[in-house]
Amino acid sequence: NAGVTQTPKFRVLKTGQSMTLLCAQDMNHEYMYWYRQDPGMGLRLIHYSVGEGTTAKGEVPDGYNVSRLKKQNFLLGLESAAPSQTSVYFCASSYAVSQGLQLHNEQFFGPGTRLTVL
Amino acid sequence: GQSLEQPSEVTAVEGAIVQINCTYQTSGFYGLSWYQQHDGGAPTFLSYNALDGLEETGRFSSFLSRSDSYGYLLLQELQMKDSASYFCVATDSWGKLQFGAGTQVVVTP
């Protein structure tokens, strides 16, 4: 049981290049999330998905796209990388959230991808 | 706007007790979580409060007061391995998380 895995662990891009970050989870979670973490700051939500084939924007979605073609995978794409996108990217997953009950959304995080854009 | 405020750093000696306070101002607030993150590592879940009061999990306890928009994390019997960043995190009614900037806890011998 690997939990949440991310590929790659490190990447250096030049401005204008594109890339895709892959997140995979083997816990059969419905919900998946992409965050970025900048030095000395908390995590900020980029995009999230509440199920296969669905995605939604988070707090900082500009410059990123996502896809959830399979339940276990969540891809984050950078269309044209900019230095402002230099960050550590974390993927997370959780069980489906039930409203009206005592909401408890424990998220399980992957190890992160360190991205540098020159 | 939406915000969570917590101290940037706390230093304490091994065996001591540390309290990390968090005040929040978020829309659609549903509950307060705490996550721990060691340097270079991923955040890991510590505790969650949906109702007012104290939740205890081993050496860690968390408290929430909805009327005061306030919560805290209490770390008891500090150990060197507790040196990490601790994030106050608000959960909204859709289950989305909003993180505070984090409190770095430094434990000294």
Side-chain angles (χ1 to χ4, degrees):
Chain A
N1 191 337
V4 180
T5 58
Q6 294 183 230
T7 309
K9 289 185 171 50
F10 302 92
R11 186 71 186 267
V12 178
L13 291 178
K14 294 181 179 178
T15 296
Q17 288 184 318
S18 63
M19 77 163 294
T20 300
L21 282 67
L22 171 63
C23 175
Q25 54 93 7
D26 61 3
M27 296 175 281
N28 201 34
H29 284 164
E30 287 292 332
Y31 288 23
M32 296 187 75
Y33 312 81
W34 275 108
Y35 294 89
R36 61 176 288 173
Q37 184 176 31
D38 299 310
M41 295 180 65
L43 280 69
R44 291 183 292 169
L45 183 65
I46 304 171
H47 286 281
Y48 65 101
S49 167
V50 299
E52 183 178 320
T54 70
T55 63
K57 294 180 179 179
E59 183 185 352
V60 288
D62 293 343
Y64 305 95
N65 57 72
V66 288
S67 63
R68 183 106 181 264
L69 298 180
K70 293 183 178 180
K71 184 177 183 179
Q72 64 268 31
N73 295 337
F74 195 28
L75 278 62
L76 178 72
L78 282 71
E79 299 152 344
S80 178
S84 61
Q85 294 177 304
T86 293
S87 189
V88 180
Y89 291 84
F90 287 100
C91 175
S93 68
S94 70
Y95 290 107
V97 172
S98 299
Q99 293 198 24
L101 302 176
Q102 185 173 339
L103 195 66
H104 182 185
N105 185 21
E106 176 183 352
Q107 295 189 6
F108 297 81
F109 286 82
T113 295
R114 293 184 177 275
L115 176 66
T116 301
V117 183
L118 302 175
Chain B
Q2 303 186 12
S3 67
L4 295 100
E5 299 292 332
Q6 56 182 123
S8 59
E9 184 172 323
V10 172
T11 300
V13 297
E14 267 187 302
I17 298 173
V18 160
Q19 179 171 318
I20 303 171
N21 297 320
C22 173
T23 57
Y24 61 86
Q25 182 178 3
T26 63
S27 59
F29 177 84
Y30 210 94
L32 198 69
S33 301
W34 291 90
Y35 281 74
Q36 179 192 59
Q37 185 180 32
H38 287 98
D39 275 351
T44 56
F45 172 82
L46 289 178
S47 69
Y48 174 71
N49 293 71
L51 304 174
D52 284 1
L54 192 67
E55 293 282 343
E56 297 180 87
T57 309
R59 295 186 296 114
F60 295 170
S61 303
S62 59
F63 172 83
L64 176 65
S65 168
R66 288 175 166 273
S67 59
D68 296 322
S69 297
Y70 164 76
Y72 67 71
L73 178 70
L74 194 70
L75 287 66
Q76 301 180 72
E77 300 172 18
L78 272 182
Q79 301 176 8
M80 295 300 292
K81 67 178 181 180
D82 297 330
S83 289
S85 291
Y86 293 83
F87 293 93
C88 166
V89 183
T91 300
D92 71 8
S93 56
W94 293 100
K96 297 203 305 295
L97 304 184
Q98 182 171 351
F99 283 72
T103 298
Q104 185 168 1
V105 171
V106 178
V107 182
T108 60

